[in-house]
Amino acid sequence: MKKLLLTLSLSLAALPVCGADDLPPPRAISAQDTADDLPPPRAATPKPRAPPAAAPAEATPQSSAEDDLPPPAARSRKPAARGFQPTLKAGVDDFLLEAGGLPDAAEADTYSTLRASAYVLWQPSRNWEFRAGARLDGMVQAGGRADHDEMLADYGDTYVRYRNGDTRLTFGAQTVIWGRADEIPLADRVSRADLTRFVLDDLPDRRRAQLAARWEQTFGEYKLDAVWLPLFRGAQLPDAASIWSPVNRTSRQIIGIDPALTSWLNTARIDEDEHGSGGGALRLTRTGSALDFGVTLARTRQSLPYYRLDLPASTLTAVHPFNTFVGADVELVRGGLTWRMEAGYTDNVPVTLANTALDTTHSLDWIGALEFFPGGADTRVNLQLVAHALQTDRSILELKEYYGANGEIETRFGQGRWKAGMRFAAGFNVDDVYLSPKLGYVGWEPHEFYVAAHYFDGEARTLGGFHQDHSLITLGLRSKF
């Protein structure tokens, strides 16, 4: 055996001698010249040396070995494979089908809703994005003194967007919601409200696209957001016959106004003034730390209508005056709790004097919120305190002050397939109540089947009091794609 091993060793050692006689024995391995002439595998730009003239026979093995290697250009092709590809998408991003019963309303016994929105999105490059959106809203109200049905078509988010680094520019119809608090953020000054279903939906579903030019600029943890509204569109209002209209001809009431002064309402003419520009606003925010904050400065027209009374002419005119708003907000996350607060000052707030003349004043508003997840991520609790005060000593028809609370409790169970929740609002200094329990099955994503109730109650001049006969029980299907 030893002789056999020795013979093999000598035979192997003899192989490189004919091509590399001068190399020391420790470097003598098979095909040394071939390996020595090959480009290093990790070299970015290999430059193989010319084969030695004394050994032409070695050139063939070298070429064969190079042919077996992956081409050097393969490394440069990988980034190209991972590069941007133009995309074109189209689909339905929201669908709602709901049927409801009204046990106490004189206007109708049933109220049903159909809503669908679709979009087309084209992104030809990393920098450019084009989107077109449309929505369809249908409502049917039947079985009472104010039977009514309507179908509304409107554009959704439809814009041209350019982005480059930390800059983003958007032109067209877009939905912009500022603020930190749920339901009623004070900094929400550039969005367009949707009142067709009053408060039955969450805040994002109560907003519509507004024509705007928007500039977003990021500076590390800071972001500057500037919005200009070149053409103003007021809140989308329901038809005057709808139970959710802010002017109820059946009960002869205007939301927020003492009903003793509106007995003539059933014969009044209703106009609206929403011409001109919507103004502009700036918002600076800081995010990414334990304490986030934002400041907002806005000179915009209020989206919600205010009704100017003209008793001699029996006319109501919905106006949208310009307001100057200055506000600040903070958010603190600590110990599993999220604390939020917003405060704001608004001038040129319209009010109606006791003699029904229109006047203006300014208001101070404050919201404090706490969000936490008791027992884990399956349950979410959001609690908010609100304060609103009109700064005037004159006698007016509206409430001068309002203090209350609102929020939401939501939990999932049955391995996440079921969801139960409760939205609520209540006044402290006035009787004003809204309760909305909901049970939904979400095991068939992205669809949700649910049953819900909406209960309203309260005194005159409050939201709950205005809709106290419009408590509703609903059964619906909601899909978000």
Side-chain angles (χ1 to χ4, degrees), residues 100-241:
L102 297 158
D104 302 321
E107 299 91 337
D109 294 331
T110 62
Y111 184 86
S112 302
T113 302
L114 170 65
R115 182 176 71 214
S117 60
Y119 73 95
V120 176
L121 179 65
W122 178 42
Q123 193 170 0
S125 67
R126 294 183 186 275
N127 301 104
W128 290 95
E129 179 180 317
F130 301 84
R131 190 185 196 278
R135 59 179 293 168
L136 188 66
D137 296 80
M139 290 77 75
V140 177
Q141 179 177 299
R145 292 157 52 185
D147 289 0
H148 168 68
D149 63 86
E150 62 179 317
M151 188 71 72
L152 301 175
D154 196 6
Y155 53 76
D157 282 13
T158 302
Y159 54 75
V160 177
R161 174 171 290 164
Y162 171 79
R163 57 168 62 88
N164 185 15
D166 296 330
T167 303
R168 189 165 77 167
L169 303 174
T170 309
F171 303 93
Q174 47 196 302
T175 305
V176 182
I177 304 177
W178 287 347
R180 299 186 186 276
D182 291 351
E183 297 300 325
I184 46 175
L186 302 181
D188 181 26
R189 296 286 160 165
V190 294
S191 67
R192 182 182 179 223
D194 184 355
L195 299 181
T196 55
R197 285 169 49 86
F198 191 49
V199 296
L200 303 188
D201 300 315
D202 293 331
L203 177 65
D205 297 317
R206 303 200 307 268
R207 295 294 182 263
R208 293 199 175 212
Q210 173 92 300
L211 293 175
R214 187 181 187 187
W215 170 40
E216 299 170 85
Q217 185 68 49
T218 303
F219 309 93
E221 296 181 343
Y222 293 87
K223 178 184 176 181
L224 178 64
D225 202 343
V227 175
W228 174 52
L229 308 175
L231 181 62
F232 177 76
R233 290 185 71 191
Q236 180 64 56
L237 300 178
D239 188 86

Side-chain angles (χ1 to χ4, degrees), residues 25 65 67 187 243 260-261 282 290 295 303 308-309 317 359 362 367 403:
D67 291 340
I243 59 173
L261 303 174
L282 291 172
V295 292
S303 178
R308 184 176 61 215
L309 308 181
T317 303
D359 195 14
H362 59 275
I367 297 177
Y403 306 100

Side-chain angles (χ1 to χ4, degrees), residues 95-100 111-115 138 140 197 200-201 244 438 450-452 454 472-478:
F95 177 82
L96 173 67
L97 179 62
E98 182 181 274
Y111 184 86
S112 302
T113 302
L114 170 65
R115 182 176 71 214
V140 177
R197 285 169 49 86
L200 303 188
D201 300 315
W244 306 120
K438 181 179 179 181
Y450 64 87
V451 57
H454 304 271
L472 182 70
I473 301 174
T474 64
L475 180 66
L477 165 64
R478 178 71 186 275

